[in-house]
Amino acid sequence: MLSAESLAQIDKELAKYPPDQKQSAVMGALRIAQNEMGWLSRDSIEFVAHYLAMPAIAAYEVATFYNMYDLAPVGRNKVTLCTNLPCQLQGADKIAEHLQGRLGIGFGETTADGRYTLKEGECMGACGHGPLCLHNNHEMHDHLTPESVDKLLDEMK
Amino acid sequence: MSLNTPDTQVCLWTLRHSEPASLATYTANGGYEALKKILAEKTPAEDIIAQVKTSALRGRGGAGFPTGLKWSFMPRNFPGDKYVVCNTDEGEPGTFKDRDILRFNPHQLIEGMVIAGYTLGAVAGYNYIHGEIFEQYQSWERALEEARAAGFLGKNILGSGWDFDLHAHHGYGAYVCGEETALLESIEGKKGQPRFKPPFPASYGLYGKPTTINNTETLASIPWILRHGGQAFLELGKPNNGGSKIFSISGHVNKPGNYEIPLGTPFADLLEMAGGVRAGHTLKAVIPGGSSAPVLPADVMMACTLDFDSISKAGSMLGSGAVIVMDDSVCMVKALQRLSYFYFEESCGQCTPCREGTGWLYRIVHRIEQGQGRPEDLDELLRIGKNIGGNTICALGEAAVGPVASFVKHFRKEFEYHIKHKKCLV
């Protein structure tokens, strides 16, 4: 189900933990699976569980507990904006309005063409550089302004 | 001692160099010397712990627990594996210091963790890195590769015959994993739900083995302490509050950012370094130690020095050193609403008082903000808070109550105005 490249990445995660503690690699493995598949279907979660020799329900518990896993399809570009207090004080409300206006969707929604999904996020641990967003979970963009947001959105294919 | 001079920087001194994160910069400035000396001289673990105790280093993650004392809890002669864990799950709103240690001085953290591993007799260490900072997770893994290639990690470290390895574990979005036992559950590949204590991690930690968990800044301070001596570290700060500390200042200041300054520095000095509050505005309130710390009104905060004891005397806590500054434009009801939503969203759901209580707190603050508050709501908030505190496994519930109780205490008039007039006072 997953590519050889993804499996090699999962094996690298596995090597970090004692041989009898394969389950420790589940968070990394789910991240790698989501990266390849775009989101985590029940099949993907079960595949990961099987690969790590753990019960599927235990992998499902992890996938539903941590909020960066997507359990339903998302747009090609997921933009998660932090709206927590420090970012809010530094202008995140204005960025939230701008993002929603420009894309014509609210938080938790995906544009009709499947290009963007907008999400509201919690503290990303970079408050001094706010307002901030994450692109597809892994790329942080800081000091957002309406202009820089426009440029960013244009660059996301 | 002048502020923020190179001499007083323990963790972020590499920023004075053109390539702060490189192994070459670190080793050219005394990096890994402490480790080399320890391994060459086979320094007894007790001597290292004694230096850490002398330094009065207190945990930089929020609790302020004395590090030397924590280290002394680890069983010496345990027959099986032991672990060292670093907590870089930095998700407390306002806190962004550990990310900068990973960005700008990754090797000092590695050296600190290796020394901790040696001192505590661990076989391996894990650094749990906050989900949202994937770029730093990757860069720290690259730093581990460099350290391994240079012989500072892995088998037979520096020819000493001693093996120890480190790995990064990446979180994926759960504030509660900053709680040390939730973090251990998460490394074990489970939901991050805190464990009952006791047993404490020093006796039953990762995989049920003795484990010591320290914050990133705490572990990164260890090489400095051993190079310069515990006494020198203590003298950077003040008694019982050793060292410099990174303060992350955010909100309504002109220059938000990290400032590594001696503990005991007046808050007014930090505010000035951060460029003061925005032009045309005055300081209204400060949350001095991350979102869980009780808010303090401007006049109280301006009289404080930045150390564990002073902030605690003023009725709040130094926490992680995350200073959130609010000027006179802030509606305190709206600010509290956002924080209450955060705790509601992040409660792991394990304990009823927290799972239900954080929702009640948020919904009541929300309805006040929306102009639908009732006169009895403020007392109701405090009553709910009392029923959460002390009735849960971990501190997340109490952390949700801290802001509510303090916002209502210090800014009650604003809440009453909102309820009566259905709009903001500011």
Side-chain angles (χ1 to χ4, degrees):
Chain A
M1 178 172 198
L2 293 179
S3 66
E5 194 188 321
S6 289
L7 292 178
Q9 283 182 40
I10 294 176
D11 290 343
K12 223 177 122 192
E13 291 294 313
L14 270 169
K16 295 177 179 178
Y17 308 99
D20 60 344
Q21 300 291 346
K22 283 184 165 184
Q23 186 170 335
S24 280
V26 68
M27 291 182 71
L30 289 172
R31 161 173 55 80
I32 291 160
Q34 176 166 296
N35 237 12
E36 180 177 334
M37 312 299 286
W39 63 289
L40 289 176
S41 65
R42 205 172 139 167
D43 285 350
S44 311
I45 296 169
E46 283 175 10
F47 176 88
V48 164
H50 182 73
Y51 194 76
L52 300 178
M54 64 190 279
I57 183 67
Y60 194 73
E61 278 186 355
V62 169
T64 52
F65 187 84
Y66 299 91
N67 66 27
M68 289 165 70
Y69 296 116
D70 293 309
L71 301 176
V74 291
R76 292 194 300 284
N77 299 286
K78 184 174 80 165
V79 178
T80 312
L81 180 75
C82 175
T83 57
N84 212 309
L85 182 62
C87 276
Q88 184 184 74
L89 296 172
Q90 289 161 216
D93 285 359
K94 207 170 83 182
I95 301 299
E97 249 174 59
H98 183 78
L99 270 168
Q100 297 181 69
R102 156 92 198 247
L103 298 177
I105 53 173
F107 283 121
E109 294 177 353
T110 300
T111 53
D113 60 2
R115 187 168 167 190
Y116 304 104
T117 294
L118 203 52
K119 283 189 90 170
E120 190 172 14
E122 288 302 341
C123 185
M124 297 172 182
C127 322
H129 310 272
L132 307 159
C133 73
L134 278 185
H135 177 210
N136 289 342
N137 286 341
H138 293 165
E139 209 180 282
M140 188 179 282
H141 298 275
D142 56 22
H143 299 288
L144 296 177
T145 62
E147 297 73 38
S148 72
V149 165
D150 284 344
K151 189 161 168 278
L152 207 58
L153 291 175
D154 289 342
E155 285 165 5
M156 294 175 185
K157 294 302 168 199
Chain B
M1 190 179 295
S2 63
L3 292 175
N4 211 25
T5 59
D7 298 351
T8 69
Q9 288 187 301
V10 171
C11 294
L12 297 180
W13 58 268
T14 51
L15 283 168
R16 305 197 308 273
H17 298 270
S18 57
E19 288 179 38
S22 81
L23 177 62
T25 296
Y26 189 57
T27 51
N29 291 280
Y32 288 110
E33 291 300 326
L35 176 66
K36 283 181 192 163
K37 188 160 181 277
I38 287 166
L39 292 180
E41 295 176 4
K42 300 194 187 334
T43 310
E46 308 80 83
D47 293 5
I48 295 172
I49 294 177
Q51 283 298 323
V52 177
K53 281 185 175 166
T54 301
S55 76
L57 171 64
R58 293 172 62 171
R60 300 306 198 218
F65 193 80
T67 306
L69 188 60
K70 190 186 246 188
W71 282 17
S72 68
F73 293 156
M74 278 287 265
R76 288 287 166 77
N77 300 314
F78 183 80
D81 294 345
K82 292 187 271 184
Y83 294 99
V84 167
V85 171
C86 175
N87 184 346
T88 314
D89 192 26
E90 186 175 47
E92 168 99 358
T95 316
F96 49 96
K97 64 191 180 63
D98 298 333
R99 174 172 175 262
D100 273 2
I101 293 176
L102 297 187
R103 284 167 84 197
F104 301 125
N105 201 355
H107 283 286
Q108 193 163 313
L109 174 60
I110 294 172
E111 186 182 7
M113 287 188 75
V114 177
I115 293 171
Y118 169 89
T119 308
L120 303 168
V123 290
Y126 293 95
N127 184 11
Y128 190 100
I129 298 176
H130 191 47
E132 284 82 349
I133 56 168
F134 186 71
E135 288 147 311
Q136 282 70 49
Y137 164 73
Q138 286 187 309
S139 65
W140 199 71
E141 285 212 315
R142 286 195 295 274
L144 287 178
E145 285 305 321
E146 286 179 325
R148 245 176 236 126
F152 298 126
L153 259 189
K155 299 264 178 228
N156 190 22
I157 295 176
L158 296 170
S160 65
W162 176 60
D163 305 338
F164 178 78
D165 216 339
L166 285 178
H167 305 284
H169 184 100
H170 188 220
Y172 227 54
Y175 165 70
V176 72
C177 289
E179 197 280 340
E180 60 180 10
T181 58
L183 186 152
L184 295 177
E185 290 285 300
S186 188
I187 297 181
E188 292 181 4
K190 302 171 189 161
K191 291 186 286 185
Q193 293 190 316
R195 299 173 180 170
F196 272 112
K197 291 190 269 192
F200 291 94
S203 51
Y204 190 92
L206 183 62
Y207 308 129
K209 308 293 185 189
T211 302
T212 294
I213 304 149
N214 290 124
N215 167 259
T216 316
E217 187 185 358
T218 308
L219 285 163
S221 299
I222 297 295
W224 195 101
I225 289 169
L226 296 178
R227 215 153 65 220
H228 303 274
Q231 189 63 29
F233 188 82
L234 173 63
E235 285 165 8
L236 283 180
K238 59 187 252 190
N240 196 34
N241 294 268
S244 295
K245 160 108 195 66
I246 304 173
F247 288 91
S248 307
I249 184 164
S250 65
H252 289 148
V253 289
N254 287 310
K255 292 190 288 178
N258 282 319
Y259 297 87
E260 188 172 25
I261 52 178
L263 282 173
T265 300
F267 167 71
D269 290 3
L270 174 66
L271 187 61
E272 194 185 326
M273 292 166 74
V277 291
R278 299 185 302 174
H281 291 276
T282 53
L283 182 68
K284 179 174 187 173
V286 176
I287 300 175
S291 61
S292 312
V295 68
L296 294 174
D299 56 331
V300 176
M301 195 63 205
M302 288 303 279
C304 282
T305 57
L306 296 165
D307 54 83
F308 294 98
D309 299 337
S310 168
I311 302 282
S312 149
K313 217 179 281 171
S316 186
M317 55 189 201
L318 187 75
S320 53
V323 181
I324 305 172
V325 174
M326 292 175 269
D327 71 20
D328 53 9
S329 70
V330 174
C331 166
M332 299 308 273
V333 182
K334 190 180 171 198
L336 178 63
Q337 175 188 240
R338 187 59 187 86
L339 291 180
S340 293
Y341 180 78
F342 170 69
Y343 291 102
F344 164 53
E345 164 74 24
E346 297 294 338
S347 171
C348 81
Q350 185 173 213
C351 309
T352 311
C354 172
R355 182 186 65 236
E356 303 302 321
T358 52
W360 293 353
L361 292 177
Y362 166 66
R363 286 189 291 273
I364 293 175
V365 177
H366 178 68
R367 79 175 173 228
I368 297 174
E369 205 276 332
Q370 295 285 303
Q372 291 155 4
R374 306 162 193 169
E376 64 273 21
D377 275 352
L378 297 182
D379 291 333
E380 183 73 351
L381 282 174
L382 300 178
R383 192 183 65 79
I384 294 166
K386 280 191 188 128
N387 285 326
I388 298 174
N391 293 322
T392 55
I393 290 174
C394 86
L396 191 145
E398 267 159 73
V401 175
V404 172
S406 60
F407 271 67
V408 172
K409 178 181 166 193
H410 293 297
F411 300 95
R412 192 172 181 112
K413 279 204 175 73
E414 267 187 57
F415 286 80
E416 288 171 345
Y417 189 92
H418 242 280
I419 292 170
K420 196 167 168 200
H421 301 280
K422 307 186 186 310
K423 58 177 186 182
C424 296
L425 182 60
V426 293

